[in-house]
Amino acid sequence: MKKANTKTRTPRGTADQILDTAQQLVQTRGFNAFSYADISANLGITKASLHYHFATKASLGTSLIERYDAAMTGMLSTIAGKVRNSREKLQDYVAIYRSVLANRRLCLCGMLAAEYTTLPKAMQKALDSYFQHNEAWLAEVLAAGRTKGELSYDGDPVDAAQYLVGALEGAMLIARSQGGQARFDAATRRLLAEFGA
Amino acid sequence: MKKANTKTRTPRGTADQILDTAQQLVQTRGFNAFSYADISANLGITKASLHYHFATKASLGTSLIERYDAAMTGMLSTIAGKVRNSREKLQDYVAIYRSVLANRRLCLCGMLAAEYTTLPKAMQKALDSYFQHNEAWLAEVLAAGRTKGELSYDGDPVDAAQYLVGALEGAMLIARSQGGQARFDAATRRLLAEFGA
DNA sequence: GTCTATAACGAGATAGAC
DNA sequence: GTCTATCTCGTTATAGAC
């Protein structure tokens, strides 16, 4: 076999390293505020080589979102698979965002949502999918949680899920520059309490 | 007199027109995704002339935030001056954000918060002030409202105000590309209900 | 798959005439 | 206060050698 699906730490390929660096840059500076030169400097590889792996910045950006979406889907599956109660699932979901902010980053897709009107169509589509997946998972957790009496809130679970995502993204966005982790934690305590978590 | 402080519609000066155009561009595209050429095209004035009014993009950006902050302060004074109950004050506050989104824009300072790490220091300072002013006004409304029994919520009014600002900015941010005005309205209904408004 | 070299363009900014 | 003209730099992207 050429590539084993092991869980051991395999040396990341160049494309992955490029994506890692680009992701960090987008999460801290935004898609319109980083360049191939930045990645080149961080990785010690020339700009021309970057174009071998990702011909255009648009294709790099699209791969970035798709990988992020897939990683999130994986984490949500893991959370769901632990089959604990819905309260904990919600807490774990919030914890994902918390750990992103702890690295002084924003959610990749929250950042890109701010730049939405300037993004290539392919990136916009990928972004739409990301939020779709996230909110569908959350709505399901909220619906099941209320049925089981583990969570409590009013109205439509889909509305509630959308509210949650927006509030979480906003809390990260503002907390990064105003108040930091403490502010984010205070906000999410309030948010979770609202759902009986 | 050279300039009367009248409330009649006086023809806006060139600097004001530049700020108007720049503000619209930042609110839709972001500070890093617009150029002097864009303003030039929109206003029919050369880039060189723009530099006469705002020598650097950083100075233009700083003026933008300061003007936005002042306008917001004015609106908050007006709301406060109408001396109705705190519920209505909170609703009016939310309505300000709503009208911004209705023009397919984000809050200027929410957008800039996403780009925070790439902004000149002067712009960062001005942004900090904007949020400080906003949250101080909100915290005061929340504190008084609870005392008078017009609002109800748990914990520190300052925490609550910060939570509110984050949730509102996030609701706008995501709603612009995912769900639009309807999604924003659903989110703010939930948010207001949380405070007994 | 990575490199050197360069093209093609747009950015922020300045000099100096009117 | 607005213009023309220009400068310098950074950007995405490509050609072609190794």
Side-chain angles (χ1 to χ4, degrees):
Chain A
M1 54 182 150
K2 307 194 68 174
K3 278 198 179 173
N5 273 356
T6 82
K7 272 154 198 157
T8 61
R9 201 65 74 245
T10 38
R12 315 223 80 187
T14 305
D16 280 322
Q17 293 181 41
I18 294 169
L19 288 171
D20 289 343
T21 305
Q23 181 174 326
Q24 187 256 104
L25 286 165
V26 174
Q27 288 182 288
T28 50
R29 303 178 51 84
F31 189 74
N32 294 319
F34 88 95
S35 70
Y36 273 43
D38 295 325
I39 304 178
S40 172
N42 266 281
L43 246 43
I45 198 175
T46 61
K47 290 189 290 172
S49 295
L50 299 178
H51 279 285
Y52 169 82
H53 294 281
F54 299 97
T56 66
K57 203 184 178 188
S59 75
L60 171 57
T62 305
S63 294
L64 224 41
I65 302 171
E66 287 168 349
R67 191 182 69 148
Y68 196 78
D69 189 9
M72 179 62 91
T73 296
M75 288 188 280
L76 298 186
S77 293
T78 301
I79 292 175
K82 288 185 179 170
V83 279
R84 294 152 312 162
N85 72 56
S86 305
R87 240 186 303 271
E88 284 181 82
K89 285 178 186 163
L90 212 52
Q91 289 163 359
D92 284 0
Y93 183 79
V94 169
I96 295 175
Y97 285 79
R98 186 185 197 279
S99 70
V100 171
L101 183 65
N103 290 331
R104 305 193 135 272
R105 302 187 189 194
L106 292 188
C107 167
L108 178 80
C109 294
M111 176 66 89
L112 293 175
E115 302 178 290
Y116 195 85
T117 65
T118 74
L119 300 179
K121 282 243 156 38
M123 287 183 68
Q124 295 183 339
K125 292 270 187 195
L127 253 193
D128 298 346
S129 293
Y130 171 83
F131 286 111
Q132 200 85 32
H133 299 156
N134 252 266
E135 289 160 13
W137 185 90
L138 254 185
E140 166 60 26
V141 168
L142 292 179
R146 186 163 58 183
T147 299
K148 290 192 264 178
E150 296 165 350
L151 296 173
S152 77
Y153 58 94
D154 291 328
D156 180 20
V158 172
D159 274 5
Q162 293 183 342
Y163 169 70
L164 243 162
V165 168
L168 228 36
E169 294 284 2
M172 287 187 81
L173 171 69
I174 310 299
R176 186 182 54 155
S177 61
Q178 316 291 328
Q181 197 80 251
R183 175 173 176 154
F184 179 79
D185 289 340
T188 54
R189 266 194 300 275
R190 215 169 265 277
L191 193 53
L192 286 171
E194 217 187 312
F195 287 86
Chain B
M1 56 181 147
K2 306 192 71 175
K3 279 196 178 175
N5 274 355
T6 83
K7 272 155 197 158
T8 61
R9 201 63 74 247
T10 37
R12 316 222 80 189
T14 304
D16 281 322
Q17 293 180 42
I18 294 169
L19 288 171
D20 289 343
T21 304
Q23 182 175 325
Q24 187 256 104
L25 286 165
V26 174
Q27 288 182 287
T28 51
R29 303 177 51 83
F31 189 73
N32 294 318
F34 89 96
S35 71
Y36 273 44
D38 295 324
I39 305 178
S40 172
N42 266 282
L43 247 42
I45 198 176
T46 61
K47 288 192 293 171
S49 294
L50 299 178
H51 278 286
Y52 169 80
H53 295 281
F54 300 96
T56 66
K57 203 184 178 189
S59 74
L60 170 57
T62 306
S63 294
L64 224 39
I65 302 170
E66 287 169 348
R67 192 182 69 147
Y68 197 78
D69 190 8
M72 179 62 92
T73 297
M75 289 188 280
L76 298 186
S77 293
T78 301
I79 292 175
K82 287 186 180 170
V83 278
R84 295 152 311 162
N85 71 55
S86 305
R87 240 187 302 271
E88 284 180 82
K89 284 177 186 163
L90 212 52
Q91 289 164 358
D92 284 359
Y93 183 78
V94 169
I96 294 176
Y97 285 78
R98 186 185 197 279
S99 70
V100 170
L101 182 65
N103 290 331
R104 305 192 137 274
R105 302 188 187 193
L106 293 188
C107 166
L108 178 81
C109 295
M111 176 66 90
L112 294 175
E115 302 177 290
Y116 195 85
T117 64
T118 72
L119 301 178
K121 283 242 155 38
M123 287 184 68
Q124 294 183 339
K125 292 269 187 195
L127 253 193
D128 297 346
S129 293
Y130 170 83
F131 286 111
Q132 200 84 32
H133 298 155
N134 251 267
E135 289 160 13
W137 184 89
L138 254 185
E140 167 59 27
V141 168
L142 291 178
R146 186 163 59 184
T147 299
K148 289 192 265 177
E150 296 165 350
L151 296 173
S152 76
Y153 58 93
D154 291 327
D156 180 18
V158 172
D159 273 5
Q162 293 183 341
Y163 168 70
L164 243 162
V165 168
L168 269 179
E169 294 283 3
M172 287 187 81
L173 172 67
I174 309 299
R176 185 182 56 155
S177 61
Q178 317 291 329
Q181 195 81 251
R183 177 173 175 153
F184 180 80
D185 289 340
T188 54
R189 266 194 298 275
R190 216 168 265 279
L191 193 53
L192 286 171
E194 217 187 312
F195 286 88

